[in-house]
Amino acid sequence: MSQLVVGVLSLQGDFREHISSVERYGQRAFGLNRREQLSEIDALILPGGESTTIAKLAKAFDLFEPIKKFIEEGGAVYGSCAGMILLADSIEGAAVGQESFGGIDMTVRRNAFGRQVDSFESDIDFQGIPLPPVRGVFIRAPWVERVGAHVQVLAEVSTSEGSHPVAVSQGRLLATSFHPEITEDFRIHEYFLNEIVGKSTR
Ligand code: GLN
């Protein structure tokens, strides 16, 4: 496989960790913060952080519409935590006026685990990644409330309120509620680069 070039949206959040995870997997990654850079990449990563801040900064940097277009045109994108929120067509618990790029036909609930526990870790059975389980680090994380017919649920977490998807994909888009970029396990990045980026655009 020739080396993939991955842009990691570098406006706010833990973009450095995503860059290292991609590099540890042997691919090239750089911090993306200019619209022209979208034409240089095979895939985009939206990091964890604060989804309202990232969306506002994307507007200020004239990146909001170009990223939306990148997604609409079939670009491969992985979003973790705040990045998952940014890929959701609809957000519960959104801040007033909060917008997302959208692309995945799902509703996510921001800070969903907050009522029970702000941050926690859990072993995750991830469809398509052989055991041992993936270590899920959840930090004021969203969960998925609703998925459309074309969305594939890859992992779920059970709470006292039932079972909730925490990893989903649709076409060339992948989203996780948790943060593999801050663990030593780069199998989610490997999955993204092998299984999702490799899909045809249609
Ligand atoms: N709670 C944050 C938000 O709503 C996401 C947290 C995270 O990315 N760790 O944007």
Side-chain angles (χ1 to χ4, degrees):
M1 174 166 83
S2 65
Q3 215 182 22
L4 293 169
V5 180
V6 181
V8 181
L9 185 64
S10 298
L11 299 172
Q12 189 268 339
D14 67 346
F15 48 86
R16 290 175 198 83
E17 288 79 356
H18 273 294
I19 293 174
S20 338
S21 299
V22 172
E23 286 174 345
R24 279 198 303 175
Y25 181 59
Q27 306 300 317
R28 216 187 109 206
F30 70 89
L32 181 145
N33 54 22
R34 284 185 293 110
R35 60 186 296 171
E36 307 77 66
Q37 293 169 316
L38 286 167
S39 62
E40 297 164 16
I41 59 173
D42 298 305
L44 177 67
I45 292 181
L46 307 174
E50 233 301 313
S51 53
T52 52
T53 308
I54 296 174
K56 277 186 200 153
L57 288 170
K59 290 214 158 149
F61 278 70
D62 196 19
L63 269 165
F64 194 88
E65 291 303 324
I67 290 177
K68 241 181 132 153
K69 190 158 163 261
F70 181 84
I71 294 169
E72 280 161 13
E73 290 177 348
V77 187
Y78 167 40
S80 68
C81 204
M84 169 187 256
I85 297 168
L86 289 162
L87 285 175
D89 281 350
S90 142
I91 307 170
E92 285 280 342
V96 178
Q98 177 171 2
E99 284 182 68
S100 60
F101 303 123
I104 300 184
D105 179 11
M106 64 176 171
T107 304
V108 297
R109 177 173 293 280
R110 284 184 77 201
N111 305 323
F113 296 96
R115 278 162 281 156
Q116 312 170 73
V117 58
D118 270 347
S119 302
F120 63 99
E121 293 190 22
S122 173
D123 280 338
I124 307 287
D125 286 325
F126 192 102
Q127 208 182 303
I129 298 185
L131 292 171
V134 169
R135 192 74 186 153
V137 179
F138 295 81
I139 304 167
R140 293 185 59 74
W143 70 41
V144 179
E145 293 259 337
R146 175 201 65 85
V147 288
H150 299 291
V151 177
Q152 203 186 348
V153 173
L154 300 170
E156 292 186 291
V157 160
S158 294
T159 70
S160 54
E161 291 174 46
S163 194
H164 303 278
V166 292
V168 294
S169 71
Q170 180 175 358
R172 298 183 85 216
L173 307 175
L174 171 71
T176 64
S177 304
F178 51 92
H179 292 271
E181 70 277 14
I182 61 172
T183 71
E184 293 298 308
D185 187 349
F186 58 88
R187 287 177 296 161
I188 300 280
H189 290 82
E190 181 180 14
Y191 178 86
F192 174 57
L193 297 170
N194 277 344
E195 306 294 328
I196 305 286
V197 178
K199 283 188 182 179
S200 64
T201 41
R202 297 282 152 236

